[in-house]
Amino acid sequence: MELKKIEEAFEKILEGIGEDRDREGLIDTPKRVAQSYQELFSGVGKDPKEPLLRHFTVDRDDLIIEKGIDFYSMCEHHFLPFFGTIDVAYIPNGRIVGFGDIIKSIEILAKRPQIQERLGSELADAIYEALDCQGVMVIIKAKHLCMTMRGAKKENTQIVTTAYRGILEKDTAKRVEILTLLK
């Protein structure tokens, strides 16, 4: 990541909105923005499957659910945050991963310019492919500041997206079971 380019670009943004770049409160702002972008976009160029490559063998393929995983990301359309929770359910195929490894994959995907629909789809793909599991379901519930601070200005709107892979694409009964467990 080229922090100096981010600093220079943010100086131009300050000028563009009519702010005094040399005002006391703004003197180090371009540097602070660059440093925060380094963290906020640290998932760029990283493979979300990588944390999932260390798996454990299991004798049974019982349903596994990890729910209420907090996340935040930056909307690629307005570069404003969106945040919420992610629920992940998967049916193994003889292999599982640690719960923290799923969180690491979420962090990689969320820490890049993103849209909610793609975040869920990419997470489902990463889990499905890395584990070669029978099925995956990802549900994301999020609030988008681009809808709260600008545009529609609807503060309490929550967007819910889903992604299914494998047998969960067609097995409605199993999806209903998962949704019931998530309540």
Side-chain angles (χ1 to χ4, degrees), residues 107-120:
E107 288 294 303
I108 288 170
L109 290 167
K111 290 188 175 188
R112 52 176 72 168
Q114 191 60 277
I115 60 172
Q116 182 173 333
E117 298 86 344
R118 188 173 62 237
L119 173 60

Side-chain angles (χ1 to χ4, degrees), residues 4-175:
K4 193 65 180 161
K5 280 188 178 181
I6 297 170
E7 283 182 50
E8 292 167 358
F10 201 77
E11 286 176 8
K12 292 191 182 307
I13 290 172
L14 288 173
E15 290 172 16
I17 65 172
E19 263 295 350
D20 175 7
R21 164 68 184 90
D22 296 319
R23 186 164 61 80
E24 182 182 5
L26 295 175
I27 291 173
D28 289 327
T29 296
K31 183 180 289 188
R32 286 191 295 268
V33 168
Q35 290 168 345
S36 69
Y37 275 22
Q38 185 174 30
E39 181 180 342
L40 293 173
F41 300 113
S42 62
V44 173
K46 291 184 180 174
D47 183 356
K49 290 182 206 167
E50 191 274 324
L52 304 171
L53 296 178
R54 188 188 71 171
H55 13 75
F56 308 96
T57 304
V58 291
D59 295 332
R60 297 184 49 98
D61 293 329
D62 297 322
L63 174 66
I64 296 171
I65 297 176
E66 187 170 359
K67 73 182 220 177
I69 304 164
D70 294 322
F71 82 96
Y72 63 87
S73 190
M74 294 290 275
C75 167
E76 68 183 34
H77 298 142
H78 301 99
F79 265 58
L80 289 171
F82 68 97
F83 57 93
T85 60
I86 297 177
D87 300 326
V88 174
Y90 72 97
I91 301 169
N93 197 13
R95 296 187 296 203
I96 61 170
V97 291
F99 299 123
D101 296 328
I102 290 173
I103 292 171
K104 289 173 189 170
S105 289
I106 291 169
E107 288 294 303
I108 288 170
L109 290 167
K111 290 188 175 188
R112 52 176 72 168
Q114 191 60 277
I115 60 172
Q116 182 173 333
E117 298 86 344
R118 188 173 62 237
L119 173 60
S121 182
E122 290 177 342
L123 179 60
D125 287 341
I127 294 168
Y128 188 65
E129 293 167 13
L131 288 178
D132 190 30
C133 60
Q134 296 178 52
V136 177
M137 180 175 171
V138 174
I139 301 172
I140 302 178
K141 299 174 198 128
K143 290 191 173 198
H144 294 247
L145 291 188
C146 58
M147 290 182 60
T148 301
M149 298 174 65
R150 53 154 309 281
K153 294 187 177 126
K154 298 300 176 198
E155 187 174 316
N156 295 311
T157 302
Q158 186 178 54
I159 307 300
V160 179
T161 56
T162 60
Y164 306 100
R165 300 295 179 271
I167 64 171
L168 293 177
E169 291 180 84
K170 294 183 175 75
D171 190 338
T172 307
K174 189 57 88 175
R175 289 199 323 235

